[in-house]
Amino acid sequence: HSRDYFGRHLPSFGAMGICQSDCLSGLKDALDSRPKQKRKILMLFGPPGAGKGTQAPKIVDMLSVPQLSTGDMLREAVAAGTEVGKRAKEVMASGGLVSDEIVIGIIADRIKARDCKKGFILDGFPRTVVQACALDELLNKSGEVVSRVVSFDIPHGVLETRICGRWIHKASGRSYHVSFAPPKSMKLLPDGRPDPATMKDDATREALMQRADDTAEALKKRLSDYDSETVPILQRYDERGVVRRVKANQAMEVVWEETKAGILIEPEMGSKAPDTGSFGCRSRSPTVFDPPQRLVGARISSMPAVPL
């Protein structure tokens, strides 16, 4: 739009002895001289079973930045005995839920670590628009914004097959699937279902397990929560031009190529700071937070050690 503006007003600039090329050159220099955000701050979104856990390690290797999950950060903070970790431990010891304020405090401490110097990937946070507002307020303090959001989109009908056939080796995090990547030991029962006694890890021969919420009934609730609570966050960041959508029901190699391309393309919005009074955010003090949210406010024992 700036080029059009100058084009309409160049006669008056010409009268002052300023040529069009000089005006446009000066404008370009001014735009290019804007401070650019040094750290890459990424978010990964997608319904359960979309494949975030498969693609995330590849992104970590490509960018040399850590993947930060709320569950891991909480455990680390509690184990390290940090100030906010002590607060989290007290809440959990009383059987309470970890509030947004505590989680934001833990994130604030974690992203100061040396391994976050080039950036970081947030996994499992934010889960609601309120949490996204709190995160934006935190990043704004250092003049930063979320630079890329990758959304792994997949039809809900595909997810039941993916989720309900998943088996996990708890110690290593290795994942298997009865249809797509079965363990070598798997044998089927007469009804076609896998015999649980034969589900063993290929490397250790230890028993595999299924998550309690990897059932068709639990999946419906999880998808409903994702649609109502998480999808609005995508709409929020879509307004800033930082969301890249990946069709996750393709071959893994194709999904990775789309993911890589989406991350490497620079956002159109640059490093413009978000307006925390928009997108459903309330103007408020950065130290005031809403009551605990259901998905982040979880007892630490219920958080899986390996993000899926």
Side-chain angles (χ1 to χ4, degrees), residues 96-111:
L97 302 177
V98 180
S99 69
D100 289 349
E101 181 183 5
I102 290 176
V103 175
I104 284 289
I106 287 173
I107 292 174
D109 288 344
R110 179 64 181 87
I111 63 178

Side-chain angles (χ1 to χ4, degrees), residues 68-226:
L68 309 180
S69 74
T70 50
D72 289 342
M73 285 188 284
L74 278 168
R75 279 184 286 271
E76 290 169 4
V78 171
T82 65
E83 189 62 33
V84 70
K86 292 176 181 177
R87 292 172 57 198
K89 185 176 181 179
E90 290 177 3
V91 172
M92 293 181 292
S94 66
L97 302 177
V98 180
S99 69
D100 289 349
E101 181 183 5
I102 290 176
V103 175
I104 284 289
I106 287 173
I107 292 174
D109 288 344
R110 179 64 181 87
I111 63 178
K112 294 175 185 176
R114 180 176 299 180
D115 64 343
C116 293
K117 184 177 181 180
K118 295 174 63 177
F120 52 89
I121 304 167
L122 286 174
D123 176 23
F125 190 90
R127 299 279 183 120
T128 67
V129 171
V130 170
Q131 292 163 7
C133 292
L135 176 66
D136 285 340
E137 290 173 358
L138 169 66
L139 295 176
N140 285 346
K141 293 177 182 178
S142 58
E144 295 179 303
V145 295
V146 174
S147 53
R148 173 66 74 232
V149 176
V150 180
S151 174
F152 295 94
D153 298 342
I154 186 170
H156 286 187
V158 177
L159 294 175
E160 183 171 342
T161 300
R162 283 193 177 189
I163 291 288
C164 298
R166 186 165 57 184
W167 289 72
I168 299 165
H169 181 238
K170 187 173 182 179
S172 68
R174 281 186 289 272
S175 182
Y176 298 86
H177 193 282
V178 296
S179 299
F180 310 125
K184 296 176 181 177
S185 60
M186 184 181 79
K187 296 186 183 302
L188 299 179
L189 296 171
D191 62 4
R193 292 183 297 110
D195 182 352
T198 67
M199 302 298 282
K200 308 283 187 181
D201 178 51
D202 287 348
T204 66
R205 302 292 296 171
E206 293 174 347
L208 302 178
M209 60 166 287
Q210 281 191 296
R211 283 177 44 169
D213 53 359
D214 279 356
T215 64
E217 184 176 346
L219 178 61
K220 290 179 182 178
K221 179 68 167 62
R222 294 168 71 188
L223 291 177
S224 175
D225 291 340
Y226 181 80

Side-chain angles (χ1 to χ4, degrees), residues 34-55:
R34 291 177 303 174
K36 294 183 178 179
Q37 181 169 311
K38 293 182 179 180
R39 294 202 293 185
K40 287 186 176 292
I41 301 176
L42 280 73
M43 291 180 184
L44 304 182
F45 283 97
K52 299 186 299 296
T54 300
Q55 302 301 328

